[in-house]
Each structure stands twice: as C-alpha cells, then as structure tokens.
Amino acid sequence: MALKYKTIPVTQFAQNCTLLWCTDTMQAALIDPGGDVHRLLEAVKNEHLTLSKVLLTHAHIDHIGGTATLTQTSGLPIEGPHLDDKFWIDSLPQQSQMFGFAKVDTFEPNRWLDDGDTVTVGNETLKVLHCPGHTPGHIVFYHEPSATAWVGDVLFRGSIGRTDFPKGDLQTLLASIKQKLLPLGDDIRFVPGHGPESTFGEERRTNQFVRG
C-alpha cells in the first residue's frame, strides 16, 4: 500500500494526531496536530519524511492547538476544516482558557474544505466528507484504496461525538454517521479523534448510538 500512517496521541485529552505519508514520494501530512509539536516533528524526522501540509477535521483546540506553531515558521499550508468552523478557530484564545491549554494563536486555513473535495498527500488522494453535528464544520478524510477514514470526533469505538458544544446537534451528527459514513461499507477501518480504531461494520453491529 502506498499510504502509511502512524497515530500519535497528543495533549492531555489524548487526541489522535495522525502522521500520514505517501511511500512513493515520502511526502507527509499531519491530521489534527493538537499539540506536543516537538513530538510530532520528531516522528516526521524518525520516518525520514518531508512534511508538506496540515489537514484539519474540525476546530476544537485539542485537534488544532499546535497548528499555528507548526505553520508560522515553516509556511506549511493548512487544509480544512469546513468554513462553518471558522468561529471555533477565531475563539482559540478563549478555548485555551476554557480547557486549560497554554495560549495559542489563531490562524487562517489556506483552503477551506467542503463535501466532495479532495486533498492529496504525495501521489495519494483522500476524499472529503462534510459530517457536521459535533461541530458544524466537521469533515472526514477517506482514503478509498486502503479503505481507511479519519473521522475526528464524529464516531468512536462504542460511542459518538459530543453535541453539547456551541452549534453541536445530535440529530445532525447521527445523520452524518448514517448517511455519509456507514454507507461506505462495513470493512472501512476508521481512526477516531480519541481512543482505539474500529470499523464501520463493527459500530453498525455493536454501537448503541448507530446500530440497526
């Protein structure tokens, strides 16, 4: 397989940042660099990769808190999330205080993403699915050749994302899961924003929130 990845939990919330790379070109991206930037850059170095971009599923601080630090000096482009999460990026200083993070800077993504868009990592292409509910601008990255999806905080093993934050909505989240994710197929493996990986089939069978 020409796409490989490594999951690196970061921040006190153990958020699953993903180092993703194309084995043909050794070009890499970081999905949701929430913090602990030194550890992320060390992982890039250890794999002998060239970091080419940052990809964001949504704009809660544990997923994007390291983005400004990563990109201010390197000039790395930022792709995602959907424009509807701009208010969360603009509120990063307030999020820092609310969740006990060191103050982080706001930033402007180079490219907002929408349903049906694609992003590239080296020679590999990932599809973008807009999956609101946890946040209004939440997106999912799906790599069809490897049957793998990076779903942020939409879906977890045995659970789903919270909807009690501003502009969260339970019915919207459930619709995103049932209409956008589960139809991709039971064999699709997903990397959630927290906790262990699972498959859509396993969640369809056992997850009380989405089974049936």
Side-chain angles (χ1 to χ4, degrees), residues 72-88:
Q72 281 170 349
T73 56
S74 66
L76 287 171
I78 305 165
E79 300 186 14
H82 184 282
L83 181 61
D84 285 350
D85 264 19
K86 185 179 187 299
F87 78 101
W88 277 116

mmCIF file of all heavy atoms in Angstrom, residues 72-88:
data_model
loop_
_atom_site.group_PDB
_atom_site.id
_atom_site.type_symbol
_atom_site.label_atom_id
_atom_site.label_comp_id
_atom_site.label_asym_id
_atom_site.label_seq_id
_atom_site.Cartn_x
_atom_site.Cartn_y
_atom_site.Cartn_z
ATOM 1 N N GLN A 72 3.640 28.676 11.352
ATOM 2 C CA GLN A 72 4.143 30.046 11.351
ATOM 3 C C GLN A 72 5.567 30.141 10.831
ATOM 4 O O GLN A 72 5.917 31.063 10.096
ATOM 5 C CB GLN A 72 4.049 30.647 12.760
ATOM 6 C CG GLN A 72 2.656 31.113 13.123
ATOM 7 C CD GLN A 72 2.521 31.476 14.586
ATOM 8 O OE1 GLN A 72 3.402 31.196 15.401
ATOM 9 N NE2 GLN A 72 1.411 32.098 14.934
ATOM 10 N N THR A 73 6.402 29.190 11.197
ATOM 11 C CA THR A 73 7.803 29.241 10.772
ATOM 12 C C THR A 73 8.053 28.442 9.503
ATOM 13 O O THR A 73 8.944 28.768 8.725
ATOM 14 C CB THR A 73 8.730 28.709 11.880
ATOM 15 O OG1 THR A 73 8.313 27.378 12.238
ATOM 16 C CG2 THR A 73 8.662 29.590 13.102
ATOM 17 N N SER A 74 7.265 27.415 9.258
ATOM 18 C CA SER A 74 7.514 26.531 8.119
ATOM 19 C C SER A 74 6.778 26.960 6.857
ATOM 20 O O SER A 74 7.164 26.587 5.743
ATOM 21 C CB SER A 74 7.071 25.105 8.468
ATOM 22 O OG SER A 74 5.655 25.062 8.652
ATOM 23 N N GLY A 75 5.683 27.714 7.022
ATOM 24 C CA GLY A 75 4.881 28.079 5.867
ATOM 25 C C GLY A 75 4.047 26.935 5.313
ATOM 26 O O GLY A 75 3.536 27.010 4.198
ATOM 27 N N LEU A 76 3.884 25.869 6.090
ATOM 28 C CA LEU A 76 3.085 24.729 5.635
ATOM 29 C C LEU A 76 1.649 25.162 5.363
ATOM 30 O O LEU A 76 1.048 25.879 6.171
ATOM 31 C CB LEU A 76 3.071 23.631 6.701
ATOM 32 C CG LEU A 76 4.333 22.818 6.914
ATOM 33 C CD1 LEU A 76 4.177 21.957 8.157
ATOM 34 C CD2 LEU A 76 4.628 21.950 5.695
ATOM 35 N N PRO A 77 1.066 24.723 4.253
ATOM 36 C CA PRO A 77 -0.345 25.037 4.003
ATOM 37 C C PRO A 77 -1.262 24.254 4.943
ATOM 38 O O PRO A 77 -0.962 23.124 5.332
ATOM 39 C CB PRO A 77 -0.561 24.617 2.554
ATOM 40 C CG PRO A 77 0.474 23.579 2.300
ATOM 41 C CD PRO A 77 1.663 23.957 3.148
ATOM 42 N N ILE A 78 -2.383 24.872 5.281
ATOM 43 C CA ILE A 78 -3.401 24.270 6.135
ATOM 44 C C ILE A 78 -4.645 24.043 5.288
ATOM 45 O O ILE A 78 -5.170 24.976 4.676
ATOM 46 C CB ILE A 78 -3.752 25.192 7.319
ATOM 47 C CG1 ILE A 78 -2.500 25.566 8.101
ATOM 48 C CG2 ILE A 78 -4.790 24.538 8.223
ATOM 49 C CD1 ILE A 78 -2.709 26.751 9.045
ATOM 50 N N GLU A 79 -5.141 22.800 5.268
ATOM 51 C CA GLU A 79 -6.344 22.471 4.512
ATOM 52 C C GLU A 79 -7.400 21.918 5.466
ATOM 53 O O GLU A 79 -7.161 20.961 6.189
ATOM 54 C CB GLU A 79 -6.022 21.465 3.403
ATOM 55 C CG GLU A 79 -4.996 22.012 2.414
ATOM 56 C CD GLU A 79 -4.765 21.089 1.235
ATOM 57 O OE1 GLU A 79 -5.555 20.161 1.012
ATOM 58 O OE2 GLU A 79 -3.763 21.306 0.523
ATOM 59 N N GLY A 80 -8.576 22.549 5.447
ATOM 60 C CA GLY A 80 -9.649 22.183 6.346
ATOM 61 C C GLY A 80 -9.620 23.045 7.589
ATOM 62 O O GLY A 80 -8.682 23.793 7.812
ATOM 63 N N PRO A 81 -10.689 22.943 8.372
ATOM 64 C CA PRO A 81 -11.909 22.171 8.130
ATOM 65 C C PRO A 81 -12.850 22.905 7.173
ATOM 66 O O PRO A 81 -12.381 23.664 6.322
ATOM 67 C CB PRO A 81 -12.508 22.046 9.532
ATOM 68 C CG PRO A 81 -12.069 23.305 10.225
ATOM 69 C CD PRO A 81 -10.705 23.630 9.669
ATOM 70 N N HIS A 82 -14.154 22.693 7.317
ATOM 71 C CA HIS A 82 -15.174 23.421 6.569
ATOM 72 C C HIS A 82 -15.300 24.833 7.156
ATOM 73 O O HIS A 82 -15.068 25.053 8.345
ATOM 74 C CB HIS A 82 -16.498 22.653 6.695
ATOM 75 C CG HIS A 82 -17.637 23.212 5.901
ATOM 76 N ND1 HIS A 82 -18.361 24.317 6.299
ATOM 77 C CD2 HIS A 82 -18.211 22.790 4.737
ATOM 78 C CE1 HIS A 82 -19.322 24.563 5.422
ATOM 79 N NE2 HIS A 82 -19.245 23.645 4.462
ATOM 80 N N LEU A 83 -15.683 25.787 6.320
ATOM 81 C CA LEU A 83 -15.790 27.183 6.741
ATOM 82 C C LEU A 83 -16.686 27.383 7.962
ATOM 83 O O LEU A 83 -16.492 28.329 8.733
ATOM 84 C CB LEU A 83 -16.308 28.020 5.568
ATOM 85 C CG LEU A 83 -16.476 29.521 5.794
ATOM 86 C CD1 LEU A 83 -15.138 30.178 6.148
ATOM 87 C CD2 LEU A 83 -17.078 30.187 4.545
ATOM 88 N N ASP A 84 -17.654 26.498 8.166
ATOM 89 C CA ASP A 84 -18.577 26.662 9.289
ATOM 90 C C ASP A 84 -17.898 26.520 10.645
ATOM 91 O O ASP A 84 -18.517 26.813 11.680
ATOM 92 C CB ASP A 84 -19.731 25.660 9.182
ATOM 93 C CG ASP A 84 -20.736 26.038 8.115
ATOM 94 O OD1 ASP A 84 -20.650 27.165 7.584
ATOM 95 O OD2 ASP A 84 -21.606 25.208 7.787
ATOM 96 N N ASP A 85 -16.649 26.077 10.680
ATOM 97 C CA ASP A 85 -15.901 26.010 11.941
ATOM 98 C C ASP A 85 -15.000 27.216 12.164
ATOM 99 O O ASP A 85 -14.219 27.242 13.121
ATOM 100 C CB ASP A 85 -15.053 24.731 11.987
ATOM 101 C CG ASP A 85 -15.749 23.600 12.743
ATOM 102 O OD1 ASP A 85 -16.978 23.668 12.918
ATOM 103 O OD2 ASP A 85 -15.066 22.640 13.146
ATOM 104 N N LYS A 86 -15.119 28.234 11.321
ATOM 105 C CA LYS A 86 -14.250 29.416 11.475
ATOM 106 C C LYS A 86 -14.411 30.055 12.853
ATOM 107 O O LYS A 86 -13.439 30.523 13.451
ATOM 108 C CB LYS A 86 -14.563 30.440 10.382
ATOM 109 C CG LYS A 86 -13.631 31.656 10.391
ATOM 110 C CD LYS A 86 -13.969 32.621 9.264
ATOM 111 C CE LYS A 86 -12.933 33.730 9.180
ATOM 112 N NZ LYS A 86 -12.852 34.557 10.412
ATOM 113 N N PHE A 87 -15.628 30.058 13.374
ATOM 114 C CA PHE A 87 -15.847 30.701 14.677
ATOM 115 C C PHE A 87 -15.054 30.004 15.779
ATOM 116 O O PHE A 87 -14.632 30.634 16.752
ATOM 117 C CB PHE A 87 -17.344 30.759 15.027
ATOM 118 C CG PHE A 87 -17.933 29.465 15.536
ATOM 119 C CD1 PHE A 87 -18.153 29.268 16.893
ATOM 120 C CD2 PHE A 87 -18.272 28.441 14.651
ATOM 121 C CE1 PHE A 87 -18.700 28.078 17.360
ATOM 122 C CE2 PHE A 87 -18.820 27.268 15.108
ATOM 123 C CZ PHE A 87 -19.039 27.075 16.460
ATOM 124 N N TRP A 88 -14.829 28.682 15.646
ATOM 125 C CA TRP A 88 -14.016 27.973 16.623
ATOM 126 C C TRP A 88 -12.547 28.379 16.507
ATOM 127 O O TRP A 88 -11.853 28.519 17.528
ATOM 128 C CB TRP A 88 -14.153 26.461 16.438
ATOM 129 C CG TRP A 88 -15.350 25.838 17.082
ATOM 130 C CD1 TRP A 88 -16.393 25.209 16.477
ATOM 131 C CD2 TRP A 88 -15.627 25.759 18.494
ATOM 132 N NE1 TRP A 88 -17.295 24.747 17.401
ATOM 133 C CE2 TRP A 88 -16.845 25.072 18.653
ATOM 134 C CE3 TRP A 88 -14.950 26.221 19.628
ATOM 135 C CZ2 TRP A 88 -17.408 24.822 19.901
ATOM 136 C CZ3 TRP A 88 -15.509 25.968 20.877
ATOM 137 C CH2 TRP A 88 -16.726 25.282 21.001
#
